[in-house]
Amino acid sequence: MNILNIEHIRKSFGDVKVLSDISLKINEGEVVAILGPSGSGKSTLLRCATLLEKMDGGTLSYCDKIVAKDDGKKSVYVSGKKLREIKSMFGLVFQNFNLFPHYSVLKNVIDAPINVQGRNKAKVIEEGKQLLAKVGLEDKEDAYPGQLSGGQQQRVAIARALAMNPKIMFFDEPTSALDPELTAEILKVLKQLASEKMTMVIVTHEIEFARKVADRVIFMDGGVIVEEGRPEDVIDNPSNDRTKAFLQKLEGEK
């Protein structure tokens, strides 16, 4: 089943063209890693897909539900009520956690399912506790974000996104603000989700992780998809010179 369908997305900020005619399909259970240098448009692509930015042109749909359609001049979005329904289909985890500092860990996880989705409170609390156990934080439900390490906060952010029962999860450089030890904590959780066939799109610089976990790797540069395919093709045997140069540079920085 096709979860996300993006066709011919365009996005500029002023005179700067950030995305140029990008098309992308994500299938159910697929893990897609997006690689590329800073400024290549990776985060903007995620922000357009998750409705944090409006596309200038192009078509976007989730599970065959149209979010925005190109009328030949611009992207025309559906009404607010339909957008709210579609927003519940995806979860998004940022680089910088974005937790509510005045809420406990458990309240951070359960607040939106109860107050936004209107689900049964007792059931949501039970699910929230299970999710915290899943990310290894069952003993932290009464703690506050300020009492946690960066890795722990990011794991709470993942549990919070999963609590909405999304059909697809987006991760924007989920380990970039963390040191190597804490990075390993997050990658372990992502590997577990991948093994459970959670549909995921992950913007990352973690090449080894992408090689082992992704079903498909996309390399972006200059606002376009330069190369995409299986990890063993794109990472180990890239055909494009820009991909090769990027991977060599990353290798050299280790």
Side-chain angles (χ1 to χ4, degrees):
M1 180 185 166
N2 188 244
I3 299 284
L4 171 67
N5 194 13
I6 288 169
E7 294 176 27
H8 307 297
I9 280 190
R10 305 186 312 278
K11 178 67 182 175
S12 297
F13 294 107
D15 295 333
V16 180
K17 193 181 279 188
V18 182
L19 298 176
S20 306
D21 193 20
I22 284 189
S23 296
L24 179 62
K25 281 185 169 69
I26 307 291
N27 298 313
E28 188 174 20
E30 192 176 25
V31 178
V32 176
I34 303 180
L35 310 175
S38 297
S40 59
K42 309 182 301 291
S43 292
T44 302
L45 177 61
L46 250 58
R47 291 179 69 82
C48 286
T50 56
L51 311 181
L52 293 172
E53 297 283 357
K54 279 202 164 182
M55 307 178 298
D56 297 333
T59 298
L60 172 65
S61 62
Y62 280 93
C63 302
D64 297 328
K65 290 182 191 288
I66 294 288
V67 180
K69 206 163 191 174
D70 200 309
D71 68 355
K73 295 178 182 174
K74 64 180 190 303
S75 295
V76 179
Y77 283 76
V78 296
S79 67
K81 186 173 182 238
K82 285 181 180 168
L83 277 184
R84 281 194 295 278
E85 283 173 26
I86 286 160
K87 279 181 179 176
S88 69
M89 291 185 179
F90 58 78
L92 176 60
V93 176
F94 298 91
Q95 300 174 18
N96 51 352
F97 326 136
N98 287 2
L99 300 175
F100 294 114
H102 55 295
Y103 284 1
S104 71
V105 163
L106 183 61
K107 187 165 168 54
N108 263 287
V109 172
I110 66 174
D111 188 62
I114 293 168
N115 295 312
V116 177
Q117 292 181 328
R119 284 160 51 199
N120 177 275
K121 186 174 180 179
K123 194 165 188 325
V124 171
I125 289 172
E126 184 187 335
E127 286 176 10
K129 290 182 176 187
Q130 288 170 357
L131 284 170
L132 286 173
K134 183 179 202 162
V135 298
L137 293 173
E138 58 270 45
D139 58 338
K140 297 292 184 185
E141 62 183 62
D142 297 324
Y144 286 83
Q147 298 170 308
L148 305 180
S149 71
Q152 289 171 329
Q153 289 186 60
Q154 190 63 296
R155 284 185 279 155
V156 175
I158 293 171
R160 179 179 62 178
L162 290 170
M164 300 292 278
N165 288 332
K167 293 190 179 297
I168 181 170
M169 287 276 285
F170 294 93
F171 296 87
D172 187 7
E173 297 276 14
T175 60
S176 69
L178 305 174
D179 66 34
E181 190 179 333
L182 300 180
T183 292
E185 292 177 10
I186 304 307
L187 297 183
K188 184 180 173 188
V189 173
L190 296 185
K191 281 177 186 170
Q192 184 185 343
L193 292 175
S195 72
E196 294 166 6
K197 294 297 176 193
M198 181 79 213
T199 310
M200 295 189 283
V201 178
I202 306 166
V203 170
T204 184
H205 277 101
E206 298 290 336
I207 299 297
E208 204 51 47
F209 170 76
R211 182 187 276 118
K212 286 178 181 168
V213 178
D215 300 299
R216 183 158 45 116
V217 171
I218 290 168
F219 175 69
M220 284 181 66
D221 195 14
V224 297
I225 292 174
V226 173
E227 192 166 351
E228 71 176 297
R230 299 177 308 168
E232 55 266 39
D233 296 329
V234 176
I235 295 173
D236 298 328
N237 296 295
S239 58
N240 189 282
D241 288 341
R242 280 195 280 179
T243 316
K244 288 176 189 170
F246 172 74
L247 292 168
Q248 282 166 359
K249 184 168 182 285
L250 273 192
E251 197 62 41
E253 287 171 358
K254 280 185 181 175

